[in-house]
Amino acid sequence: MAIWKRAATLETLNQRGEQTLAGHLGIVFTAITDDTLEATLPVDARTRQPFGLLHGGASAALAETLGSMAGYLCTEGSDVVVGLDISASHVRSAREGRVKGVCRAAHLGRTHQVWLIDVFDAEGRLCCVSRLTTAVLSGRPEE
């Protein structure tokens, strides 16, 4: 059974990211299943640190983008989702290609959500394990 309360397509998710940090970094939503959301991030000049490796902050930005959008899709009406806390453990580096983030819910509460986001390199090896806690704010107008 799907966890999503809002209808969305990959096209609409990617349009929402235009003219945002996600768009600037090249984050592209690639899959929606009943209980996961996936996106990719290029490993290029925008996302590498000075030593040629994927920047940890770029991995965290991918994780927060996925978790925040997933959180929003699990709300209704005028509710919005904001990040409260994010952690990221970097377990393998990436130098090129695209990394893929896979986001799944650990907890979907009325006022808080916890999302687990794994980031994999092009060969499917785990690069980063992230956890995002979000708050659901009720009655906020969309901008």
Side-chain angles (χ1 to χ4, degrees):
M1 182 163 87
I3 62 173
W4 316 119
K5 295 180 180 177
R6 297 182 191 270
T9 65
L10 294 174
E11 181 181 12
T12 60
L13 295 181
N14 287 313
Q15 286 174 349
R16 286 188 86 101
E18 293 175 1
Q19 305 301 313
T20 70
L21 178 69
H24 176 72
L25 293 178
I27 294 172
V28 175
F29 290 97
T30 57
I32 305 171
T33 71
D34 284 348
D35 60 357
T36 64
L37 183 61
E38 297 180 14
T40 62
L41 170 77
V43 182
D44 62 17
R46 295 170 290 179
T47 60
R48 286 188 191 111
Q49 41 95 308
F51 304 103
L53 304 174
L54 178 63
H55 194 291
S59 295
L62 174 61
E64 181 134 2
T65 298
L66 276 162
S68 294
M69 187 59 75
Y72 175 73
L73 294 176
C74 287
T75 64
E76 298 177 289
S78 60
D79 289 354
V80 295
V81 172
V82 296
L84 292 179
D85 182 66
I86 189 165
S87 67
S89 297
H90 307 287
V91 298
R92 178 183 298 276
S93 61
R95 292 185 176 274
E96 60 188 12
R98 293 187 80 81
V99 293
K100 175 176 75 172
V102 179
C103 177
R104 65 189 182 286
H107 171 72
L108 295 176
R110 185 178 52 79
T111 61
H112 291 85
Q113 304 165 339
V114 179
W115 296 95
L116 305 174
I117 304 97
D118 291 329
V119 178
F120 301 92
D121 66 13
E123 287 78 40
R125 299 175 296 194
L126 185 65
C127 293
C128 177
V129 176
S130 186
R131 185 183 77 200
L132 174 69
T133 302
T134 59
V136 179
L137 305 178
S138 297
R140 302 286 174 117
E142 275 194 56
E143 296 184 19

